[in-house]
Amino acid sequence: MIVGRRQTEKPIRWAMVGGGGTSQIGYVHRSAALRDRTFDLVAGAFDIDPERGRAFGVELGVAPERCHADYRALFAAEAARPDGVQAVSIATPNNTHYAIAKAALESGLHVVCEKPLCFSVAEAEELKRVAADKRKIVGVAYGYAGHQMIEQARAMVAAGELGDIRLVNLAFAHGFHSAAVEETNPATKWRVDPTFAGPSYVLGDLGTHPIYIAETIAPHLKIKRLLCARQSFVKSRAPLEDNAVTLMEYDNGAFGTVWCSAVNAGSMHGQKVRIVGAKASLEWWDERPNQLSFEVQDEPVRILERGMGYLARQATAEDRIGAGHPEGLFEAWANLYGRFAVAMEATDRGDRGRLANLRYPDIDAGVEGVRWVEACVRSAEAGGVWIDYR
Amino acid sequence: MIVGRRQTEKPIRWAMVGGGGTSQIGYVHRSAALRDRTFDLVAGAFDIDPERGRAFGVELGVAPERCHADYRALFAAEAARPDGVQAVSIATPNNTHYAIAKAALESGLHVVCEKPLCFSVAEAEELKRVAADKRKIVGVAYGYAGHQMIEQARAMVAAGELGDIRLVNLAFAHGFHSAAVEETNPATKWRVDPTFAGPSYVLGDLGTHPIYIAETIAPHLKIKRLLCARQSFVKSRAPLEDNAVTLMEYDNGAFGTVWCSAVNAGSMHGQKVRIVGAKASLEWWDERPNQLSFEVQDEPVRILERGMGYLARQATAEDRIGAGHPEGLFEAWANLYGRFAVAMEATDRGDRGRLANLRYPDIDAGVEGVRWVEACVRSAEAGGVWIDYR
Amino acid sequence: MIVGRRQTEKPIRWAMVGGGGTSQIGYVHRSAALRDRTFDLVAGAFDIDPERGRAFGVELGVAPERCHADYRALFAAEAARPDGVQAVSIATPNNTHYAIAKAALESGLHVVCEKPLCFSVAEAEELKRVAADKRKIVGVAYGYAGHQMIEQARAMVAAGELGDIRLVNLAFAHGFHSAAVEETNPATKWRVDPTFAGPSYVLGDLGTHPIYIAETIAPHLKIKRLLCARQSFVKSRAPLEDNAVTLMEYDNGAFGTVWCSAVNAGSMHGQKVRIVGAKASLEWWDERPNQLSFEVQDEPVRILERGMGYLARQATAEDRIGAGHPEGLFEAWANLYGRFAVAMEATDRGDRGRLANLRYPDIDAGVEGVRWVEACVRSAEAGGVWIDYR
Amino acid sequence: MIVGRRQTEKPIRWAMVGGGGTSQIGYVHRSAALRDRTFDLVAGAFDIDPERGRAFGVELGVAPERCHADYRALFAAEAARPDGVQAVSIATPNNTHYAIAKAALESGLHVVCEKPLCFSVAEAEELKRVAADKRKIVGVAYGYAGHQMIEQARAMVAAGELGDIRLVNLAFAHGFHSAAVEETNPATKWRVDPTFAGPSYVLGDLGTHPIYIAETIAPHLKIKRLLCARQSFVKSRAPLEDNAVTLMEYDNGAFGTVWCSAVNAGSMHGQKVRIVGAKASLEWWDERPNQLSFEVQDEPVRILERGMGYLARQATAEDRIGAGHPEGLFEAWANLYGRFAVAMEATDRGDRGRLANLRYPDIDAGVEGVRWVEACVRSAEAGGVWIDYR
């Protein structure tokens, strides 16, 4: 149970790059990082417009001289201070993630980065190399993965309650971009422009979320090969897809499907994760994150509820309020930021034991997401053929 | 509204082949055919054991001399009577459908046949040829398609309420055969034996149902090519699959997926049909057949209920009880049998007008089902590759 | 499992009074009685207009000379035949039930009667007396009570799976009469006219259904006193109520509530039964009758499904189709008619053992329904005060 | 849309009384108040044990000298500082609310108080008098009322979308205290002890929540008289009830019911609010707070979703994240604290216009809650009789 006590020894001195103005995602990062005083927001380069960024930072309580024009200025200035920032979160358009993350790591900062980490596996592995070299962590903003019932699912799979995993059935298929909303909505516009969005739209923007959740729940499953078909139902989005289906074969014989869509008209989110084993299945839906459906063949379906005593210990460790009350996405993010902070402190003091028992979307998760998108795009571009995954 | 008045001029004289003893499916056929006195059960070859079949028929009120040892004897004897049967329903194992249906048609009988009609498109087209030649109908037992909300969905798509159809998302994925239940359960055993079941298990047994429903709802969509991956999670079932995923490209650019499974542990039926258009989606689930979810992008989801005045005329024509009361699978089947009877009468009197306005799973639907399974198996056998559909 | 074999030795010769023309309820009775050839419809007085009634009967296959002008003619003529009817179902307006049922019993017929049996406890007890005297059964058309999951609930309460029963929470609250639809809809008009409907509208028309279901599930609970408040939101319906709430204290200290409404705008049926015990609760909803929610405190909610092997024996005895397939209201009625037939045969041959193990809505259930309505009306008329129940 | 910009000019200097240690409710208050830097936590009397309270405060970042032994010391010391607190939140056991709130108001502080405000209407009105006298606000912690869909419901009722309100159907009926958990759980123990809990348990602890929500949604409804029956199913809780049903007649002829329970075994929360009008109904459930069911008679049920463009302006004003993402209880509380802060500032500067357009659970809501509990208890104690409400 979290009741506001800081999980770290001290608040981590923290900056943001991007996330200013009316950015929703910036607010989500700040709400999560500041929730339990785990981080202190002391610097930033919040906006592509330096003046606007400074005004925004000051309003957030950041000293004006620590509101910088861009990330380079930020990292340089902070590196020169004895009380300079220890960590930075990156909430800028996709095409800038790689350069900013790399610069941050090279400046000796821990990094929290929006997904996708970058546009190619080569870049991702370079980030991994730099992070290892600098002994810094990279946390990736797979926010949904912070919901406690994901931990419950992971614990149940580990305990063998499902039997051998046979099927992984994933979807993140909303309908908000059924029409060409990007023509009038700038927040959508960059997502369908390869310059800013990278090689994919929904595969990267949506699909990587349930992919990471599935890796979390069933970490022993390794993709052997995959096949992807993608479509651009709003024609002007081509070559980027607004719908895609990926099939996956795993090493152990399991089979997976992922449906990513922004044109699933009328669907709110449609992020659903179903893991099917030889004995039982688990199903989770991000719009009802406090519940987990546990379906043992030949028994009644059971609806597990967040916060209950029958859950695994790790599924209740991050509860902020009793069972029955709904926690939402902000708590999921706060859980991740809490773990990021613990990971940063443990890394800084070289506490491998603490790190070994800590699960969070780390650099490997970031690399995997990029690899998965890259493979999907490669398969789709080749006409929807099977390709080896590694 | 159906309140028991016969839709046909007279009851149709009717026989069954198979469906005896404790056969559930035989009971479903009889319940449907006899529901509103549309058919009279006057003859049969109910069981592979003639004695048992005769006893069963007599118990059903059939004259003992019209309970025959096999379908050949049945067709011959009935053809010789002035009051011989006009139609026959076939509820035997899959491998016998073709021969019995062909013999029935050649004997001048209308046929209602369990799916799959047969094992190959060549056979199916031969049946179609004979039926045309004999001017008889073949109705296929896609029972779920008789639910009234399918008519509602069809009417809404036809009226353009969804906009252009983009996605067809189908599933029939239960969990009842997660374990090798066929080792002890004879009713499952033949389904996983190619000799009796044909070239597929779940593709034919399950997948053809939502495929036909999708064809009904969006008849203008034509499959251009498809790709299928199939698995045998219970190893002894190979070469027959207990799980399969099929991807489909349609002529108009729409994209489809079908998930068929008998190893989706804990799922009861999992037959879901989601049709996504540029403006809105429809979703239907066979376990809650009285509801239809209508999801217009940027509007609240609407739950349409069977029997309500806001539905299309053809969606309420077959109501047997007011809105709010649940109708179930037996009514769906009775709806189909009612239409079969009307089609038989209209065919016999050459009433093309009546036939033109009547929708039921006919020989073409039967052919399509066989074609779809054949194509899926061909793709899967080739390693899960795209193949042209026609 | 029912697969169409008759549960009785012979079909029972059966007539209907009322239920002709486009009557939905008449169709429901016939569908149920004829479902598994348990009854033969051989006579009737189907309509207040004799000619129309005869034409209707003939269309149903009844001999014209056995289609009578009214119930008196029917009972007299049939009593004079060696093959006269053995049982009659009464589906006429409420105000006629008593006289017809009494005449039927006095003519030596078993009776199936729509609820309410009559308008006063005195009348109900007179019917009970005559039935006992004539050794005939009276079955009451509490159709929802035939759903199999009600049997499951009963078995679980009997087995102590809920602990001591504390709360009985009942509702049957639809919205179809939110407006004064009776002004244009004759099928509603008589329901709000005390001459035809009796002393109540929704209490009798709706409330008696969940009351009987609760008695079935927890037969040991006896109402000690109750209090009822009723309202006529459509003013012209007064003194008959279109909404009512009843509170009940039971002998064992349990507490109950019943909400009856025809003005619960937007609700389809809203018939829900929740039984709360010291350890667990059960909840059932007539619009999803194949499911039963079993909620053990401190455990995950379990959704029990009709037809599954984990259910009690008596909850699967009447399955007509496997789990997962939806059965609907017609099957529930058919279950009751099956039990009525068994009860008739057992009564005629004096088989007390068979009767002792047979649960159906009998004359006592009919009396109880009338008693409950009478008590509710008495309390409401007195200003909503507590009154002793017996 | 809230993206972290403070709604007030400056953070309000704020203290807490109670809420220390592992108190969940204290954490909820702090999470809400500090969410968007609306309040600064600068002082407190967090614990009945002064040392423990000081340690706790320091850990929260409060200066040690501003961590006080009790509320009297806190109010005195802060009143003496130029930068003393402006507002205090009270999260202590029920029996202390009155004295602390009164002292706070008399010290010139704005107050946020846990419900119930006090134990009698006389006390509540005294608090109201002092607050008016001191020109300070009292906010009451009806946290669920902060969910945005409550605003949507209020807007729809005001716009006449339901027609005249007829029925108010309320429940807050969980099962967590089905057993005598207070014997081992101190957090439950005081709730069932009249010394600490006051004259009721579930009526005050649970029932006042949906009562306030109903007042918010349909503010024109005024209770005319009510009747309450209460029970103590766990005997040792008497005279305090663990279950209660209240019936209410409103001035306009509407009828209401409230079911409060802590022994509804297996239910998580069961807080449901259904408002039925002549044309349509609204239903909201606190466990799925992002949805609102809108049920127009003779139209399909519509599921409204938080964050969507079709909602009323005031229902989206406090969104923190886009539609589809679940917000939870913490956001609802943060919404209330945001309004409390705005109300405090507006009150301090005498801005009546701002206050007139601001809806929050104020002193009147607090008085009403106490009045409702008092009336319920009076009715129940008199044997469950109707009593006039004012």
Side-chain angles (χ1 to χ4, degrees):
Chain A
M1 184 61 104
I2 293 172
V3 288
R5 285 196 158 133
R6 199 168 42 237
Q7 301 171 71
T8 50
E9 283 185 40
K10 296 188 202 168
I12 290 169
R13 296 185 304 277
W14 177 62
M16 284 200 74
V17 178
T22 58
S23 160
Q24 272 188 54
I25 201 68
Y27 177 61
V28 175
H29 279 273
R30 292 193 304 276
S31 287
L34 305 177
R35 181 64 171 268
D36 300 311
R37 299 161 312 110
T38 320
F39 291 85
D40 264 354
L41 181 65
V42 295
F46 298 102
D47 202 304
I48 201 162
D49 175 329
E51 277 316 299
R52 207 166 52 189
R54 178 167 295 111
F56 183 80
V58 168
E59 195 180 331
L60 292 180
V62 178
E65 69 275 14
R66 296 179 82 174
C67 296
H68 295 278
D70 60 29
Y71 73 89
R72 289 183 196 86
L74 169 68
F75 299 160
E78 290 294 321
R81 295 177 65 109
D83 63 348
V85 297
Q86 300 165 282
V88 65
S89 288
I90 303 169
T92 55
N94 294 358
N95 61 318
T96 64
H97 293 173
Y98 173 68
I100 303 175
K102 192 171 176 203
L105 290 168
E106 288 173 341
S107 301
L109 301 180
H110 295 291
V111 169
V112 176
C113 191
E114 266 302 314
K115 42 101 259 197
L117 211 47
C118 50
F119 288 171
S120 71
V121 173
E123 287 174 348
E125 290 185 337
E126 172 65 5
L127 290 179
K128 181 175 175 178
R129 197 193 54 72
V130 179
D133 193 45
K134 294 288 185 175
R135 297 178 190 270
K136 296 295 160 192
I137 78 145
V138 176
V140 185
Y142 291 129
Y144 307 102
H147 282 295
Q148 289 99 302
M149 297 310 267
I150 304 297
E151 294 305 307
Q152 175 65 18
R154 177 180 169 94
M156 292 173 78
V157 167
E161 297 195 42
L162 276 66
D164 288 345
I165 304 304
R166 291 172 168 179
L167 299 168
V168 175
N169 200 320
L170 308 175
F172 199 152
H174 67 69
F176 287 105
H177 300 159
S178 291
V181 293
E182 58 267 32
E183 292 172 6
T184 53
N185 180 348
T188 308
K189 189 171 179 54
W190 71 262
R191 292 176 193 270
V192 295
D193 178 341
T195 313
F196 298 95
S200 84
Y201 167 27
V202 295
L203 288 161
D205 198 43
L206 304 175
T208 51
H209 286 291
I211 280 287
Y212 175 65
I213 290 175
E215 288 169 13
T216 300
I217 296 176
H220 60 295
L221 294 187
K222 303 299 174 194
I223 301 171
K224 191 170 67 180
R225 51 180 209 146
L226 61 69
L227 176 152
C228 177
R230 65 175 183 168
Q231 300 85 34
S232 307
F233 284 106
V234 174
K235 295 279 174 277
S236 53
R237 288 171 185 161
L240 295 197
E241 80 288 349
D242 49 22
N243 190 78
V245 176
T246 302
L247 309 182
M248 302 179 292
E249 289 180 3
Y250 293 92
D251 275 354
N252 75 336
F255 192 80
T257 57
V258 192
W259 176 28
C260 309
S261 189
V263 297
N264 181 18
S267 167
M268 297 302 296
H269 258 194
Q271 184 178 194
K272 292 192 179 178
V273 173
R274 185 175 180 89
I275 308 290
V276 179
K279 296 190 294 189
S281 300
L282 284 171
E283 186 160 328
W284 181 83
W285 179 23
D286 83 329
E287 299 179 42
R288 305 273 191 278
N290 296 280
Q291 284 77 38
L292 179 67
S293 178
F294 178 42
E295 313 179 7
V296 181
Q297 183 57 40
D298 300 326
E299 297 187 11
V301 167
R302 287 171 179 83
I303 309 299
L304 280 62
E305 295 270 348
R306 188 196 56 75
M308 293 298 284
Y310 51 70
L311 300 178
R313 189 187 47 74
Q314 53 272 49
T316 54
E318 294 171 320
D319 284 341
R320 285 177 168 79
I321 196 165
H325 299 88
E327 293 197 4
L329 188 64
F330 286 101
E331 283 71 48
W333 277 71
N335 293 341
L336 289 191
Y337 260 93
R339 300 183 213 161
F340 291 156
V342 170
M344 291 172 186
E345 272 198 1
T347 300
D348 286 349
R349 70 170 184 264
D351 182 347
R352 288 163 183 271
R354 185 73 190 84
L355 288 168
N357 290 302
L358 190 68
R359 203 269 310 159
Y360 68 95
D362 59 11
I363 183 70
D364 287 324
V367 174
E368 268 326 283
V370 173
R371 186 191 315 280
W372 185 81
V373 173
E374 195 173 87
C376 287
V377 170
R378 189 150 50 90
S379 167
E381 294 296 292
V385 298
W386 289 100
I387 61 167
D388 288 336
Y389 191 61
R390 278 166 207 280
Chain B
M1 183 60 102
I2 294 173
V3 288
R5 284 191 160 138
R6 198 169 42 239
Q7 302 172 68
T8 50
E9 284 184 41
K10 297 189 202 165
I12 290 170
R13 297 185 302 277
W14 176 61
M16 283 201 74
V17 178
T22 58
S23 161
Q24 271 189 54
I25 203 67
Y27 177 61
V28 175
H29 280 272
R30 291 193 305 276
S31 287
L34 305 177
R35 181 65 171 269
D36 301 311
R37 300 163 311 113
T38 320
F39 292 85
D40 264 354
L41 181 64
V42 294
F46 299 102
D47 203 304
I48 201 162
D49 175 328
E51 276 316 300
R52 207 166 50 189
R54 178 167 294 114
F56 183 79
V58 167
E59 194 181 331
L60 292 179
V62 178
E65 69 275 15
R66 295 179 83 174
C67 295
H68 295 278
D70 59 31
Y71 72 89
R72 290 184 195 86
L74 168 68
F75 298 161
E78 291 293 322
R81 295 177 66 110
D83 64 347
V85 296
Q86 300 166 283
V88 65
S89 288
I90 304 169
T92 54
N94 294 358
N95 61 317
T96 64
H97 293 174
Y98 174 68
I100 302 175
K102 193 172 176 205
L105 290 168
E106 289 173 339
S107 302
L109 300 181
H110 294 291
V111 168
V112 176
C113 190
E114 265 303 313
K115 44 100 257 203
L117 210 47
C118 50
F119 287 172
S120 72
V121 173
E123 287 175 347
E125 291 185 336
E126 171 66 5
L127 289 179
K128 181 175 175 178
R129 199 193 53 72
V130 179
D133 192 44
K134 294 289 185 174
R135 299 180 190 268
K136 296 296 161 192
I137 78 145
V138 176
V140 185
Y142 290 130
Y144 307 101
H147 282 294
Q148 288 100 302
M149 296 311 268
I150 304 297
E151 295 304 307
Q152 175 65 19
R154 177 180 169 94
M156 292 174 78
V157 167
E161 296 195 43
L162 276 66
D164 288 344
I165 304 305
R166 290 172 168 179
L167 298 169
V168 174
N169 201 321
L170 309 174
F172 199 151
H174 68 68
F176 287 104
H177 301 159
S178 291
V181 293
E182 60 267 31
E183 292 172 8
T184 54
N185 180 348
T188 308
K189 189 170 180 56
W190 71 263
R191 292 176 193 269
V192 296
D193 178 342
T195 313
F196 299 94
S200 84
Y201 167 27
V202 294
L203 288 160
D205 197 43
L206 304 175
T208 51
H209 286 290
I211 280 286
Y212 175 66
I213 291 175
E215 288 169 14
T216 300
I217 297 177
H220 61 294
L221 295 187
K222 303 297 174 196
I223 301 171
K224 192 170 67 179
R225 50 180 211 146
L226 62 68
L227 176 152
C228 176
R230 64 175 183 169
Q231 301 84 36
S232 308
F233 284 107
V234 174
K235 296 279 174 278
S236 53
R237 288 170 186 162
L240 295 196
E241 79 289 348
D242 48 23
N243 190 78
V245 176
T246 302
L247 308 182
M248 301 179 293
E249 290 179 3
Y250 293 92
D251 275 354
N252 76 336
F255 192 80
T257 56
V258 192
W259 176 26
C260 309
S261 188
V263 296
N264 181 18
S267 168
M268 297 301 296
H269 259 194
Q271 184 179 194
K272 293 192 178 177
V273 172
R274 185 175 179 90
I275 308 290
V276 179
K279 295 190 295 190
S281 299
L282 285 171
E283 185 159 328
W284 181 82
W285 179 23
D286 84 329
E287 298 179 43
R288 305 273 191 278
N290 296 280
Q291 283 77 38
L292 179 68
S293 179
F294 178 42
E295 312 179 7
V296 181
Q297 182 56 39
D298 300 327
E299 297 186 11
V301 167
R302 288 169 178 81
I303 309 299
L304 280 63
E305 294 271 349
R306 190 196 56 74
M308 293 298 285
Y310 51 71
L311 299 178
R313 188 186 49 74
Q314 54 271 51
T316 55
E318 295 170 319
D319 284 341
R320 284 177 168 79
I321 196 166
H325 300 88
E327 294 196 3
L329 188 63
F330 286 101
E331 281 73 47
W333 277 71
N335 293 341
L336 289 192
Y337 260 92
R339 299 182 213 162
F340 292 156
V342 170
M344 291 171 187
E345 273 199 0
T347 300
D348 285 348
R349 67 172 186 265
D351 183 348
R352 287 165 183 272
R354 185 72 190 87
L355 288 168
N357 289 303
L358 190 68
R359 203 270 309 159
Y360 68 94
D362 59 10
I363 181 71
D364 287 325
V367 175
E368 267 329 282
V370 173
R371 187 191 314 282
W372 185 80
V373 172
E374 194 173 270
C376 286
V377 170
R378 189 151 50 91
S379 166
E381 293 297 290
V385 299
W386 290 99
I387 61 167
D388 289 336
Y389 190 61
R390 278 166 208 280
Chain C
M1 184 61 105
I2 294 172
V3 288
R5 284 194 158 135
R6 199 167 42 237
Q7 301 171 70
T8 51
E9 283 184 41
K10 297 189 204 167
I12 290 170
R13 298 184 303 276
W14 176 62
M16 283 200 75
V17 179
T22 58
S23 161
Q24 271 188 56
I25 201 68
Y27 177 61
V28 176
H29 279 273
R30 292 193 304 277
S31 287
L34 305 177
R35 181 63 171 269
D36 300 311
R37 299 162 311 110
T38 320
F39 292 86
D40 263 354
L41 180 65
V42 294
F46 297 103
D47 201 305
I48 201 163
D49 175 329
E51 276 316 300
R52 206 167 53 191
R54 176 167 294 111
F56 183 80
V58 168
E59 195 180 331
L60 292 179
V62 179
E65 68 277 15
R66 296 179 83 175
C67 296
H68 295 279
D70 60 30
Y71 72 89
R72 288 185 196 86
L74 169 68
F75 297 161
E78 291 294 322
R81 295 177 66 109
D83 63 346
V85 297
Q86 302 165 282
V88 65
S89 288
I90 303 169
T92 54
N94 294 358
N95 61 318
T96 65
H97 294 173
Y98 173 68
I100 303 175
K102 193 172 176 205
L105 290 168
E106 288 174 342
S107 301
L109 301 181
H110 294 292
V111 169
V112 175
C113 190
E114 266 302 315
K115 44 101 259 199
L117 210 47
C118 49
F119 287 172
S120 72
V121 173
E123 287 175 348
E125 290 185 338
E126 171 66 5
L127 290 179
K128 181 173 174 179
R129 198 192 53 74
V130 179
D133 193 45
K134 294 288 184 176
R135 297 179 191 270
K136 295 296 160 191
I137 76 145
V138 177
V140 184
Y142 291 128
Y144 307 101
H147 282 295
Q148 288 99 302
M149 296 311 266
I150 304 296
E151 295 304 307
Q152 175 64 19
R154 177 181 169 93
M156 292 173 78
V157 167
E161 296 196 43
L162 276 66
D164 288 343
I165 304 305
R166 292 172 168 180
L167 298 168
V168 174
N169 200 320
L170 308 174
F172 199 151
H174 67 68
F176 287 105
H177 300 158
S178 291
V181 294
E182 58 267 32
E183 292 172 7
T184 53
N185 180 348
T188 308
K189 189 171 180 52
W190 71 263
R191 292 177 193 270
V192 295
D193 179 341
T195 313
F196 297 96
S200 84
Y201 167 28
V202 294
L203 287 160
D205 198 44
L206 304 175
T208 51
H209 285 291
I211 280 287
Y212 175 65
I213 291 175
E215 288 170 12
T216 301
I217 296 176
H220 61 294
L221 294 187
K222 302 300 173 192
I223 301 172
K224 192 170 66 180
R225 50 180 210 147
L226 62 68
L227 176 151
C228 176
R230 64 175 183 168
Q231 301 84 36
S232 308
F233 284 106
V234 174
K235 295 279 175 277
S236 53
R237 288 171 185 161
L240 295 197
E241 80 288 349
D242 50 21
N243 190 78
V245 176
T246 302
L247 309 182
M248 301 178 293
E249 289 180 4
Y250 293 91
D251 275 354
N252 76 335
F255 192 80
T257 57
V258 192
W259 176 27
C260 309
S261 190
V263 297
N264 181 19
S267 168
M268 297 302 295
H269 259 193
Q271 186 180 191
K272 292 193 179 177
V273 172
R274 184 174 180 89
I275 308 289
V276 179
K279 294 190 295 191
S281 300
L282 285 171
E283 186 160 327
W284 181 82
W285 179 24
D286 84 329
E287 299 179 41
R288 305 272 191 279
N290 295 281
Q291 284 77 38
L292 179 67
S293 180
F294 178 42
E295 312 179 6
V296 181
Q297 183 55 42
D298 300 327
E299 297 187 10
V301 166
R302 288 170 178 82
I303 309 299
L304 280 63
E305 296 270 349
R306 189 195 56 75
M308 293 298 284
Y310 51 69
L311 300 178
R313 189 188 47 75
Q314 55 270 50
T316 54
E318 295 171 318
D319 284 341
R320 284 177 168 78
I321 196 166
H325 300 88
E327 294 197 4
L329 188 63
F330 286 102
E331 282 72 48
W333 277 71
N335 292 341
L336 288 192
Y337 260 92
R339 299 184 213 161
F340 292 156
V342 170
M344 291 172 188
E345 274 199 359
T347 299
D348 287 348
R349 69 169 185 265
D351 183 346
R352 288 164 183 271
R354 186 72 189 87
L355 288 168
N357 289 303
L358 190 68
R359 204 268 310 160
Y360 68 94
D362 59 11
I363 181 71
D364 288 325
V367 175
E368 266 329 281
V370 172
R371 187 191 314 280
W372 185 81
V373 172
E374 195 173 86
C376 287
V377 170
R378 190 151 49 93
S379 166
E381 294 295 292
V385 298
W386 289 99
I387 61 168
D388 288 335
Y389 190 61
R390 279 167 206 279
Chain D
M1 182 61 102
I2 295 173
V3 288
R5 283 193 161 137
R6 199 168 41 237
Q7 302 172 68
T8 51
E9 284 184 41
K10 296 188 202 168
I12 289 170
R13 298 185 302 276
W14 176 62
M16 283 200 75
V17 178
T22 57
S23 160
Q24 271 189 55
I25 201 68
Y27 178 60
V28 175
H29 279 272
R30 292 194 304 278
S31 287
L34 305 177
R35 181 65 170 267
D36 300 310
R37 300 161 311 111
T38 320
F39 292 86
D40 264 354
L41 180 64
V42 295
F46 298 102
D47 202 304
I48 202 163
D49 175 328
E51 275 317 299
R52 207 167 51 191
R54 177 167 294 115
F56 183 80
V58 167
E59 194 180 332
L60 293 179
V62 178
E65 68 276 15
R66 294 179 83 174
C67 297
H68 295 278
D70 60 30
Y71 72 89
R72 289 184 195 87
L74 168 68
F75 297 161
E78 290 293 322
R81 297 177 64 110
D83 64 346
V85 297
Q86 301 165 283
V88 65
S89 289
I90 303 170
T92 54
N94 294 359
N95 61 318
T96 64
H97 293 173
Y98 174 68
I100 303 175
K102 192 172 176 204
L105 290 168
E106 289 173 341
S107 301
L109 300 182
H110 294 291
V111 168
V112 176
C113 190
E114 266 303 313
K115 44 103 258 202
L117 211 47
C118 50
F119 287 171
S120 72
V121 173
E123 286 175 347
E125 291 185 337
E126 171 66 6
L127 289 178
K128 182 175 175 179
R129 198 192 54 72
V130 178
D133 192 46
K134 294 289 185 174
R135 298 176 190 270
K136 294 296 160 191
I137 78 146
V138 176
V140 184
Y142 291 129
Y144 307 101
H147 282 295
Q148 289 99 302
M149 295 312 267
I150 304 296
E151 295 303 307
Q152 175 64 19
R154 177 181 169 94
M156 293 174 78
V157 168
E161 296 196 43
L162 276 66
D164 288 343
I165 304 305
R166 291 173 167 178
L167 298 169
V168 175
N169 201 321
L170 308 175
F172 199 151
H174 68 68
F176 287 104
H177 301 159
S178 291
V181 293
E182 60 267 32
E183 292 172 7
T184 53
N185 180 348
T188 307
K189 189 171 180 53
W190 71 264
R191 292 176 193 269
V192 295
D193 178 341
T195 313
F196 298 95
S200 84
Y201 168 27
V202 294
L203 287 161
D205 198 43
L206 304 175
T208 51
H209 285 291
I211 280 287
Y212 175 65
I213 291 174
E215 288 169 13
T216 300
I217 296 177
H220 60 295
L221 295 187
K222 302 299 174 194
I223 301 172
K224 192 170 67 179
R225 52 181 210 145
L226 62 67
L227 176 153
C228 177
R230 64 175 183 170
Q231 301 83 37
S232 307
F233 285 106
V234 173
K235 296 279 174 280
S236 53
R237 288 169 186 164
L240 295 196
E241 80 288 348
D242 49 23
N243 190 77
V245 176
T246 301
L247 308 182
M248 302 179 292
E249 290 180 3
Y250 293 92
D251 275 354
N252 75 336
F255 192 79
T257 56
V258 192
W259 175 27
C260 309
S261 189
V263 297
N264 180 18
S267 167
M268 297 302 295
H269 258 194
Q271 184 179 193
K272 292 193 178 177
V273 172
R274 184 174 180 89
I275 309 289
V276 179
K279 295 190 294 190
S281 300
L282 285 171
E283 185 160 328
W284 181 82
W285 178 24
D286 84 328
E287 299 178 43
R288 305 274 191 278
N290 296 279
Q291 284 77 37
L292 179 67
S293 179
F294 178 41
E295 312 180 6
V296 181
Q297 182 56 40
D298 299 327
E299 298 188 10
V301 167
R302 287 170 179 83
I303 308 299
L304 280 64
E305 294 271 349
R306 190 195 57 73
M308 293 297 285
Y310 51 70
L311 299 179
R313 188 187 48 75
Q314 54 271 50
T316 55
E318 295 171 319
D319 284 342
R320 285 177 168 79
I321 196 166
H325 299 88
E327 294 197 3
L329 188 63
F330 286 102
E331 283 71 47
W333 277 72
N335 292 341
L336 289 192
Y337 260 93
R339 299 184 213 160
F340 292 155
V342 170
M344 290 172 187
E345 272 199 0
T347 299
D348 287 348
R349 68 172 186 264
D351 183 348
R352 288 163 182 272
R354 186 72 190 85
L355 287 168
N357 290 302
L358 191 68
R359 203 270 309 160
Y360 68 95
D362 59 11
I363 181 71
D364 288 325
V367 175
E368 268 327 282
V370 172
R371 188 192 313 283
W372 185 79
V373 173
E374 195 173 89
C376 287
V377 170
R378 190 151 48 91
S379 167
E381 292 297 290
V385 298
W386 288 99
I387 61 167
D388 289 336
Y389 190 60
R390 278 165 208 281

